[in-house]
């Protein structure tokens, strides 16, 4: 009996998972004529906001949270240009970066890698430290609904600043 219940549950779950979201009545409650961004074919612009949890180990050590804004333009299926601005707290005043981004779309998930240049400024008890360096990172984006996505990534802004970023964005 248990095997039949498990088999029936799996069959129902597989059937429901194979139904396109456009066919589900829950998604048809309101008229929705806005076009969706096709992450496989179209170039698009995107913007996001993230919570940045950073670790700094320059002339002094500091860790904390900052807010990161991300703006980008996708040119081809795999290539984008991206700009990031992080406004900090504590010793981290700001970080600005310009990146080339490669992405591998896998359905609702996109795996991404970034390489570029970043400049950061820190204020360590009145001593201002400016750091400029090659920057790199990697992460993933998961499409939540329509053109909205969840973002999680790791970035190394320079040899003394690393961050884990988690947030949301929109494609338009």
């Amino acid at each position: 009996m248990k095997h039949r219940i498990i088999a029936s549950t799996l069959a129902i779950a597989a059937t429901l998972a194979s139904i396109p979201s456009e066919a589900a009545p829950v998604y048809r409650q309101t008229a929705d004529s806005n076009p969706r961004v096709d992450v496989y074919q179209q170039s698009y612009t995107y913007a996001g906001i993230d919570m940045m949890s950073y670790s700094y180990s320059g002339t002094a050590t500091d860790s904390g949270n900052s807010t990161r804004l991300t703006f980008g333009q996708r040119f081809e299926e795999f290539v984008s240009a991206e700009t990031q601005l992080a406004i900090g707290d504590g010793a981290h005043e700001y970080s600005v970066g310009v990146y080339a981004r490669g992405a591998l779309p896998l359905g609702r998930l996109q795996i991404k890698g970034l390489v570029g240049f970043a400049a950061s400024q820190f204020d360590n008890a009145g001593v201002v430290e400016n750091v400029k360096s090659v920057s790199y990172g990697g992460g993933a984006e998961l499409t939540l609904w329509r053109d909205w996505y969840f973002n999680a990534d790791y970035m190394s802004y320079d040899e003394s600043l690393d961050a884990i970023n988690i947030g949301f964005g929109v494609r338009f």
Side-chain angles (χ1 to χ4, degrees):
M1 181 67 169
K2 287 182 184 179
H3 295 293
R4 284 186 183 171
I5 293 173
I6 292 172
S8 298
T9 304
L10 290 174
I12 291 169
T15 302
L16 291 175
S18 67
I19 296 173
S21 62
E22 294 82 46
V26 119
Y27 294 110
R28 283 194 267 155
Q29 291 179 354
T30 61
D32 188 7
S33 61
N34 295 330
R36 294 184 172 98
V37 171
D38 182 353
V39 296
Y40 291 103
Q41 302 298 323
Q42 297 174 337
S43 66
Y44 55 82
T45 304
Y46 58 93
I49 186 166
D50 300 315
M51 191 234 14
M52 175 178 164
S53 179
Y54 69 88
S55 174
Y56 172 67
S57 60
T59 56
T61 58
D62 186 36
S63 62
N65 296 322
S66 298
T67 301
R68 182 181 77 167
L69 303 173
T70 303
F71 304 97
Q73 174 66 45
R74 190 183 96 166
F75 301 108
E76 294 182 2
E77 183 176 356
F78 305 109
V79 180
S80 302
E82 184 170 301
T83 302
Q84 298 178 3
L85 169 65
I87 301 167
D89 69 345
H92 179 230
E93 290 188 356
Y94 69 85
S95 293
V96 177
V98 178
Y99 300 92
R101 173 180 142 167
L104 178 62
L106 303 169
R108 292 178 45 207
L109 181 70
Q110 286 191 44
I111 307 299
K112 64 180 181 174
L114 297 103
V115 66
F117 182 78
S120 301
Q121 182 170 323
F122 299 89
D123 185 354
N124 297 312
V127 177
V128 176
E129 182 179 357
N130 292 305
V131 180
K132 298 173 184 161
S133 179
V134 171
S135 177
Y136 60 90
E141 291 178 358
L142 177 66
T143 300
L144 298 173
W145 182 72
R146 295 187 41 85
D147 299 328
W148 291 89
Y149 62 88
F150 171 78
N151 175 63
D153 63 37
Y154 166 82
M155 293 293 298
S156 176
Y157 291 97
D158 59 59
E159 65 278 351
S160 59
L161 177 63
D162 296 323
I164 295 174
N165 308 290
I166 298 173
F168 296 93
V170 64
R171 300 177 186 104
F172 45 94

